[in-house]
């Protein structure tokens, strides 16, 4: 009992020192460059978003944002790397829909999308578009639906490979129409688009970042966008939802994550910087040029992103499992 009071005083002093240290760390954060991991190759759509966003974040946080491309296995190589990175506030991760589809596509996944990361917030949505080769028989969506149901066995549907959003869009399209096309996977959206332009395939569902120039040039037949509402970049283009495919929605969305255990104070600082970056005129102009749309402020939060990922897992897992699609 004689030593209890000194011990308690010592423990209180130790706790107070830790509190001051934590406060000092938060006040000094960030004090060195931050790495933003991209799961796809340099020059691709996600990489373009990451580098544009990183430039704005660097200005706001007053530290360089170093973009690091770690490719492979539909983004799971990078995700696994980040899940096992030091949770010190200096590693972040940008990923698209693959964050939600990985559990269905990769049964032997070594991380849990919902448990292995701290969530930061959503960034942008990129609408998808439904296209066909220029000489495809159907001239509009009504004709496409009629033709597809009568000639499904004759239609080749291209995509950018298992797990790509173009593949998800194609799967949902077939489910909505109650048909089964011949699916032809390519290694990326570039080869898939080249095949469509060359007439080797009939149909492709791809994002506006790739398709708007071809739509505007009249190189393809264009049936509509896959968002629930019309988009500013193609204001006269109807949605598939308003043309008979009720509630049809597929879009490329991007979110920011950090390793599990990253200090909440650091996440809060990074999230505040993210919200500021998403208001930057330079960033919004660059995204508009790509046909991308900045998400609303209520979606730029950790809670909203986590809720969205869970809803996307619930949406796509049964569709992918029903088609027997996995890559393990």
């Amino acid at each position: 009992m004689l030593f209890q009071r000194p011990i308690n005083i010592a423990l209180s002093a130790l706790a107070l020192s830790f509190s001051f240290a934590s406060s000092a760390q938060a006040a000094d954060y960030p004090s060195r460059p931050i790495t933003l991991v991209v799961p796809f190759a340099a020059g691709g759509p996600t990489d373009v978003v990451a580098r544009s966003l990183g430039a704005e974040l660097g200005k706001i946080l007053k530290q360089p944002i170093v973009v690091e491309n770690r490719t492979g296995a539909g983004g799971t190589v990078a995700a696994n790397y980040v899940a096992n990175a030091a949770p010190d506030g200096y590693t972040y991760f940008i990923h698209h829909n693959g964050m939600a589809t990985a559990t269905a596509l990769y049964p032997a996944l070594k991380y849990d999308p919902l448990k292995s990361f701290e969530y930061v917030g959503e960034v942008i949505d990129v609408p998808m578009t439904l296209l066909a080769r220029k000489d495809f028989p159907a001239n509009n969506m009504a004709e496409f639906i009629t033709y597809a149901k009568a000639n499904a066995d004759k239609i080749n549907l291209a995509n950018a490979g298992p797990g790509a959003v173009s593949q998800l869009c194609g799967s949902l399209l077939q489910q909505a129409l109650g048909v089964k096309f011949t699916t032809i996977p390519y290694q990326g959206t570039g080869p898939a688009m080249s095949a469509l332009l060359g007439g080797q395939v009939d149909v492709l569902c791809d994002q506006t970042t790739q398709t708007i120039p071809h739509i505007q040039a009249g190189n393809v037949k264009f049936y509509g966008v896959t968002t629930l509402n019309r988009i500013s970049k193609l204001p006269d283009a109807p949605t598939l939802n308003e043309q008979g495919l009720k509630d049809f929605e597929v879009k490329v969305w991007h979110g920011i994550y950090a390793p599990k255990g990253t200090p909440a104070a650091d996440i809060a600082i990074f999230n505040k910087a993210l919200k500021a970056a998403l208001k930057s005129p330079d960033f919004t102009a660059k995204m508009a040029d790509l046909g991308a749309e900045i998400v609303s402020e209520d979606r730029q939060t950790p809670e909203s992103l986590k809720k969205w990922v869970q809803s996307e897992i619930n949406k796509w897992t049964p569709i992918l499992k029903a088609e027997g699609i996995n890559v393990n």
Side-chain angles (χ1 to χ4, degrees):
M1 297 295 292
L2 292 176
F3 298 102
Q4 183 173 358
R5 190 163 180 265
I7 290 172
N8 286 343
I9 292 173
L11 289 174
S12 297
L14 184 62
L16 191 59
S17 69
F18 278 132
S19 175
F20 281 136
S22 298
S23 298
Q25 181 182 7
D28 293 340
Y29 176 83
S31 59
R32 55 186 170 87
I34 293 172
T35 297
L36 180 60
V37 178
V38 177
F40 306 109
T46 301
D47 181 74
V48 170
V49 173
R51 292 179 189 275
S52 298
L53 181 62
E56 296 302 323
L57 289 169
K59 296 174 190 175
I60 296 163
L61 294 169
K62 296 180 171 55
Q63 289 291 339
I65 305 297
V66 180
V67 174
E68 182 176 323
N69 300 89
R70 286 184 172 264
T71 64
T76 61
V77 169
N80 190 58
Y81 168 79
V82 174
N84 290 284
D88 57 7
Y90 290 91
T91 301
Y92 290 86
F93 177 46
I94 184 169
H95 200 6
H96 66 17
N97 310 52
M99 194 69 166
T101 58
T103 52
L105 291 168
Y106 298 87
L109 206 62
K110 296 180 180 178
Y111 62 88
D112 186 324
L114 294 171
K115 297 179 180 179
S116 300
F117 303 91
E118 302 293 346
Y119 281 59
V120 180
E122 287 187 75
V123 181
I124 61 166
D125 288 334
V126 184
M128 302 289 284
T129 52
L130 180 61
L131 313 174
R133 55 181 166 83
K134 192 172 182 179
D135 57 351
F136 193 70
N139 294 307
N140 53 54
M141 192 60 195
E143 291 183 10
F144 179 86
I145 293 172
T146 301
Y147 184 85
K149 289 184 176 182
N151 301 278
D153 58 335
K154 300 176 184 177
I155 296 176
N156 294 324
L157 172 68
N159 66 47
V165 183
S166 57
Q167 186 264 327
L168 301 179
C169 186
S171 296
L172 190 63
L173 177 66
Q174 292 173 87
Q175 184 187 77
L177 295 175
V179 300
K180 192 71 175 177
F181 301 141
T182 299
T183 299
I184 303 178
Y186 289 84
Q187 293 186 332
T189 55
M193 177 58 76
S194 294
L196 186 75
L197 296 173
Q200 285 87 46
V201 294
D202 300 310
V203 180
L204 173 66
C205 189
D206 199 7
Q207 58 185 293
T208 53
T209 51
Q210 306 284 344
T211 64
I212 283 178
H214 298 296
I215 292 170
Q216 293 176 336
N219 297 331
V220 293
K221 284 192 175 175
F222 170 47
Y223 299 120
V225 296
T226 65
T227 46
L228 294 181
N229 299 307
R230 296 192 182 197
I231 63 174
S232 58
K233 196 69 175 179
L234 297 167
D236 297 325
T239 68
L240 302 192
N241 175 61
E242 65 185 274
Q243 296 183 90
L245 300 188
K246 186 172 174 55
D247 298 326
F248 192 100
E249 181 182 27
V250 186
K251 58 190 177 184
V252 183
W253 50 269
H254 292 79
I256 305 288
Y257 312 83
K260 188 70 176 180
T262 298
D266 295 353
I267 295 289
I269 291 169
F270 198 89
N271 176 262
K272 184 177 180 180
L274 174 65
K275 289 179 177 178
L278 296 183
K279 293 179 181 177
S280 159
D282 286 347
F283 182 73
T284 54
K286 288 177 182 176
M287 293 303 102
D289 286 342
L290 295 174
E293 300 180 339
I294 308 296
V295 300
S296 58
E297 193 164 344
D298 62 303
R299 292 173 55 193
Q300 298 167 17
T301 67
E303 299 77 16
S304 176
L305 176 58
K306 193 162 191 177
K307 184 178 179 181
W308 177 252
V309 172
Q310 179 66 78
S311 70
E312 286 285 277
I313 290 172
N314 295 342
K315 174 179 178 175
W316 293 110
T317 297
I319 293 173
L320 293 170
K321 287 186 174 180
E323 293 197 8
I325 300 173
N326 69 68
V327 290
N328 277 124

